[in-house]
Amino acid sequence: MAKQQRVVIVGGGVIGLLTAFNLAAEVEHVVLLDRGEVGQESSWAGGGIVSPLYPWRYNSAVTALAHWSQDFYPQLGERLFTATGIDPEVHTTGLYWLDLEDEEQALAWAQREGRPLMSVEMSAVEHAVPALGSGYSRAIYMADVANVRNPRLVKSLKAALQSITNVTIHEHCEVKGFIHEGNNVVGVNTGQGEVHGDEVVLSAGAWSGELLNLLGLELPVEPVKGQMILYKCASDLLSSMVLAKGRYAIPRRDGHILIGSTLEHEGFDKTPTDVALESLKASAIELVPALAAAEPVAHWAGLRPGSPEGIPYIGRVSGVGGLWLNCGHYRNGLVLAPASCQLFADLLLGREPIIDPAPYAPAGRIS
């Protein structure tokens, strides 16, 4: 495909940013639009664990993207750090799951998929993670799980894009509708005027369903609120990520510890609540008792792009020329971003795809 394309990307979260980054060298011009500032919604609000919370509970479509991304993240982090001087801090700490009900399924999955997940004695966990609360009886561990410092990842991606001459970013530029020529979409209407393109990509996170509705298409992507709290501690307090009863603690390199997260169906409301704050503090103290002596330094909420089974929509919208989707990653946008955006670029550019694209195709999944 010759380099004469102008690609318009709607939505500047990690998916939109990385889509732009992957396409920049391959097409004539990339225009990225965001209704607010790039990377400030779900991509900023998440925890950044580079693994689905319970990878064995997902189907193979999510697993395939997750595996590719997990292997790719360290080099993506290096590349962005080298290009921008902003380190996304891909921090490999390993992850302990405690007192799982479906531990057998988890271990069977790991054996089947060739992932280094194993059962460990509680005494070994207590030795490795002295800050962990008592009262847990069983643990499994995966050593190579990393977390990425997502606010820095989006900052780094934005800086990288700003240095590329054929990429234009328009922030505070809300898309109000699509520009049609017959059955083709040839651009979008925004608060700042018309933006035309040969291809239009919808990567608008929790807002993707609303936007596709403007074309009379039903995309089952809806906002799912999640609240998190943050502590600042000594940098050696918590050595690994730990997860129990659906809640997790994530250590950053500088001693910040994130505790998450809630799952709430509250529409587009992002107001943090006292109920969630108390619940998250209780989880924090249960996981890491030393946090009882600390007060959270921050508490926020974000909106995940909820989708059936968490399988994203990646590919061309059938019946509408020029319209593409890369959205609906639910709880795993940061986990799946590198693979999703690489697969997307392969499809748009007509290259051999990194993995089988069939499970993510919008055809048959939107009405």
Side-chain angles (χ1 to χ4, degrees):
M1 198 176 271
K3 254 200 205 180
Q4 74 273 29
Q5 283 179 300
R6 183 178 160 91
V7 179
V8 176
I9 299 170
V10 180
V14 71
I15 300 293
L17 290 165
L18 199 49
T19 298
F21 188 68
N22 286 349
L23 290 177
E26 309 288 343
V27 303
E28 188 186 7
H29 197 154
V30 177
V31 183
L32 182 71
L33 311 173
D34 197 278
R35 59 195 284 282
E37 289 181 23
V38 300
Q40 293 304 299
E41 293 289 350
S42 187
S43 303
W44 183 90
I49 302 176
V50 185
S51 168
L53 288 185
Y54 303 98
W56 54 90
R57 296 181 191 171
Y58 286 91
N59 75 22
S60 56
V62 172
T63 300
L65 291 172
H67 285 185
W68 197 93
S69 291
Q70 283 164 319
D71 296 340
F72 188 75
Y73 248 114
Q75 70 194 67
L76 176 65
E78 287 282 309
R79 188 176 160 195
L80 288 170
F81 188 23
T82 303
T84 66
I86 301 165
D87 187 357
E89 292 188 18
V90 180
H91 183 29
T92 304
T93 63
L95 172 57
Y96 289 93
W97 288 265
L98 306 163
D99 291 356
L100 279 171
E101 287 171 14
D102 56 353
E103 188 177 304
E104 277 179 34
Q105 288 94 307
L107 294 167
W109 169 88
Q111 200 168 6
R112 199 168 60 240
E113 296 287 340
R115 299 314 271 186
L117 178 71
M118 58 186 189
S119 184
V120 285
E121 294 290 331
M122 270 321 294
S123 56
V125 184
E126 287 154 13
H127 179 73
V129 192
L132 183 68
S134 59
Y136 299 107
S137 55
R138 297 188 326 281
I140 59 174
Y141 178 61
M142 190 144 52
D144 63 352
V145 183
N147 66 73
V148 62
R149 198 155 176 179
N150 37 305
R152 295 195 175 200
L153 174 67
V154 293
K155 206 178 269 188
S156 182
L157 277 165
K158 180 181 178 178
L161 291 173
Q162 285 173 326
S163 71
I164 301 173
T165 52
N166 65 326
V167 176
T168 307
I169 298 174
H170 291 296
E171 295 182 307
H172 305 287
C173 181
E174 188 168 357
V175 170
K176 314 273 193 186
F178 295 90
I179 304 168
H180 306 262
E181 271 179 18
N183 285 336
N184 298 329
V185 164
V186 295
V188 291
N189 288 307
T190 79
Q192 298 176 22
E194 294 189 348
V195 180
H196 290 262
D198 302 298
E199 316 286 348
V200 174
V201 186
L202 199 51
S203 298
W207 288 266
S208 299
E210 304 255 297
L211 284 167
L212 215 50
N213 245 329
L214 300 173
L215 290 169
L217 295 170
E218 274 302 312
L219 177 74
V221 171
E222 56 168 15
V224 182
K225 182 174 173 178
Q227 299 188 50
M228 311 268 295
I229 56 175
L230 180 71
Y231 292 88
K232 180 74 171 81
C233 309
S235 59
D236 60 353
L237 175 65
L238 185 63
S239 52
S240 280
M241 294 182 281
V242 289
L243 195 162
K245 299 182 186 170
R247 295 278 169 86
Y248 49 78
I250 305 171
R252 301 296 197 216
R253 281 186 190 146
D254 65 358
H256 278 103
I257 296 175
L258 286 96
I259 306 290
S261 96
T262 63
L263 268 176
E264 307 165 62
H265 293 267
E266 300 284 348
F268 287 95
D269 172 27
K270 284 194 306 184
T271 317
T273 63
D274 290 343
V275 172
L277 176 62
E278 292 312 312
S279 170
L280 289 163
K281 278 163 81 169
S283 294
I285 293 162
E286 205 173 312
L287 285 164
V288 184
L291 295 177
E295 271 304 308
V297 293
H299 170 212
W300 66 86
L303 301 174
R304 309 175 185 86
S307 57
E309 293 183 79
I311 301 170
Y313 299 84
I314 306 170
R316 191 189 284 281
V317 176
S318 51
V320 185
L323 185 62
W324 298 75
L325 301 182
N326 192 2
C327 59
H329 293 74
Y330 197 13
R331 302 191 76 172
N332 295 311
L334 285 150
V335 185
L336 307 180
S340 297
C341 298
Q342 186 66 47
L343 174 62
F344 181 86
D346 293 342
L347 295 172
L348 186 93
L349 300 165
R351 299 187 302 216
E352 181 70 26
I354 50 162
I355 55 172
D356 176 14
Y360 320 101
R365 297 175 65 210
I366 58 180
S367 49

